[in-house]
Amino acid sequence: MLSLAGRDLHIRGSAVHDVQRRVASSRIASVAALPGRMYLVGRHNAAELAKSARWLARSREHTNFTYDLTPLNREHLAWFIAEVTARSVGEIRAYFEEVESDRGLHEHLRRAIKASDRQRLADRDVRFGRRIGWYALVRALRPAHIVETGTDKGLGTCVLAAAVRRNGAGRVTTIDVNPCSGYLISGRYGAVVNRHIGDSIDVLGQLEVVDVFLHDSLHTAGYEHAELETVGPRLTEKAMVLSDNAHASGTLSDWAEETRRRFLFFGEQPRDHWYPGGGIGVAWSRSS
Ligand SMILES: C[S@@+](CC[C@H](N)C(=O)[O-])C[C@H]1O[C@@H](n2cnc3c(N)ncnc32)[C@H](O)[C@@H]1O
């Protein structure tokens, strides 16, 4: 049974709902909703502006941004890689922890950044973002030959090389048109990497067998397609084909359909960064 005060509140609540219902179905509905809508979009944009200001003050990066994933997004990535590799999510989570807590890799990257003449355009804190997914995929599948187009600093290359080193077998080929690329690749990580400076299409045409291919060079649909067409005949039956451009183009999914492969996409959600995130597109053979 409601108390007197409770009954009073209940009556007032129903009156408010009644007014809301009438306004919502009246001609002024859209005008009445405007202040609330302005508040929602303003709150969202103010948070984005604050993130952007923090990034301008703290980061030095001007391209190929690095960040961590939100905890929930990292968990979704674990499920994504588990599905693609047909491994347990527990195994994939363990690979994530392995690379994130790899002190040797972090130390190597920090030292290489500090020693570089481009250190003023790089952050000292090393953050892998979606690359932990690349790492886990290589750890789970133990491919013999991984090919990455687009080296940039060599952050992805070092992550892939760290996975190969833990596997105890395999090689990474990385290709970049920029002769100043790859300054992070040295020491024990460089020992398992073949670096090529040149146009990726030219270099891909000279390769033999590829088990994991990662497109991360010139992000136009036409160029991505040309890389897929060139690497296609070199792929092993169970090859995994990854694209770092699948958030922006349908090239990999179209190619997967043409070549009767499966396709899945994971979208990144960077933590405390204004960049909306990239993702991982994966195409792989139906029979594997
Ligand atoms: C997004 S970055 C690569 C990021 C890197 N994979 C990583 O994990 O940080 C793209 C790179 O592609 C290179 N690139 C652009 N056009 C290319 C081409 N035609 N052939 C090879 N590399 C190219 C650029 O020089 C740039 O370093």
Side-chain angles (χ1 to χ4, degrees):
M1 206 203 284
L2 284 174
S3 65
L4 253 165
R7 215 174 60 196
D8 196 30
L9 266 179
H10 178 72
I11 292 167
R12 264 192 271 162
S14 334
V16 168
H17 283 138
D18 197 40
V19 172
Q20 280 175 341
R21 208 172 37 243
R22 281 166 193 243
V23 172
S25 56
S26 73
R27 285 190 187 174
I28 62 152
S30 53
V31 177
L34 198 58
R37 297 173 69 227
M38 283 168 65
Y39 169 73
L40 289 174
V41 75
R43 189 179 58 175
H44 170 80
N45 288 333
E48 290 301 309
L49 215 59
K51 262 193 262 177
S52 308
R54 274 198 298 276
W55 175 79
L56 282 171
R58 290 181 192 160
S59 175
R60 305 167 175 191
E61 293 179 337
H62 66 120
T63 181
N64 200 18
F65 308 117
T66 61
Y67 37 75
D68 289 319
L69 304 178
T70 66
L72 182 61
N73 193 227
R74 179 184 179 278
E75 177 62 8
H76 289 165
L77 179 56
W79 282 96
F80 173 81
I81 298 293
E83 182 61 27
V84 166
T85 58
R87 297 303 171 92
S88 76
V89 70
E91 181 180 335
I92 303 303
R93 285 192 198 113
Y95 294 142
F96 285 2
E97 274 150 34
E98 186 176 271
V99 65
E100 286 166 345
S101 63
D102 186 335
R103 283 173 173 237
L105 176 62
H106 279 81
E107 201 41 50
H108 163 83
L109 293 169
R110 253 184 240 119
R111 260 191 271 121
I113 290 167
K114 210 171 161 194
S116 159
D117 60 0
R118 296 180 171 232
Q119 58 170 294
R120 284 173 205 86
L121 293 174
D123 289 349
R124 295 271 165 86
D125 290 337
V126 178
R127 300 179 212 93
F128 298 135
R130 65 195 169 284
R131 295 177 190 81
I132 61 172
W134 306 353
Y135 179 91
L137 184 134
V138 170
R139 287 289 280 126
L141 300 179
R142 306 174 64 84
H145 189 202
I146 303 143
V147 176
E148 172 196 44
T149 63
T151 313
D152 192 40
K153 299 189 277 285
L155 181 59
T157 321
C158 285
V159 167
L160 294 167
V164 160
R165 278 175 44 78
R166 291 263 189 183
N167 285 345
R171 303 269 325 156
V172 181
T173 293
T174 187
I175 312 164
D176 203 297
V177 78
N178 181 357
C180 299
S181 63
Y183 66 79
L184 298 179
I185 308 166
S186 59
R188 53 187 185 269
Y189 303 100
V192 295
V193 174
N194 302 329
R195 281 183 63 200
H196 293 269
I197 300 300
D199 190 81
S200 59
I201 304 287
D202 295 342
V203 181
L204 288 175
Q206 294 159 28
L207 297 178
E208 291 187 354
V209 179
V210 178
D211 300 288
V212 171
F213 175 71
L214 167 63
H215 160 79
D216 196 8
S217 59
L218 182 59
H219 288 327
T220 65
Y223 197 80
E224 185 181 356
H225 187 254
E227 280 193 0
L228 294 173
E229 289 292 297
T230 311
V231 81
R234 290 156 180 87
L235 295 171
T236 53
E237 198 190 332
K238 293 189 172 179
M240 289 281 163
V241 179
L242 276 62
S243 173
D244 212 58
N245 195 32
H247 61 295
S249 108
T251 305
L252 184 61
S253 53
D254 290 348
W255 180 83
E257 197 168 359
E258 276 162 32
T259 59
R260 300 177 61 75
R261 286 174 161 85
R262 302 182 204 196
F263 173 82
L264 278 178
F265 173 73
F266 160 82
E268 269 188 328
Q269 284 170 4
R271 188 169 76 186
D272 202 21
H273 203 290
W274 62 268
Y275 179 65
I280 306 177
V282 187
W284 73 105
S285 172
R286 288 188 178 276
S287 56
S288 59

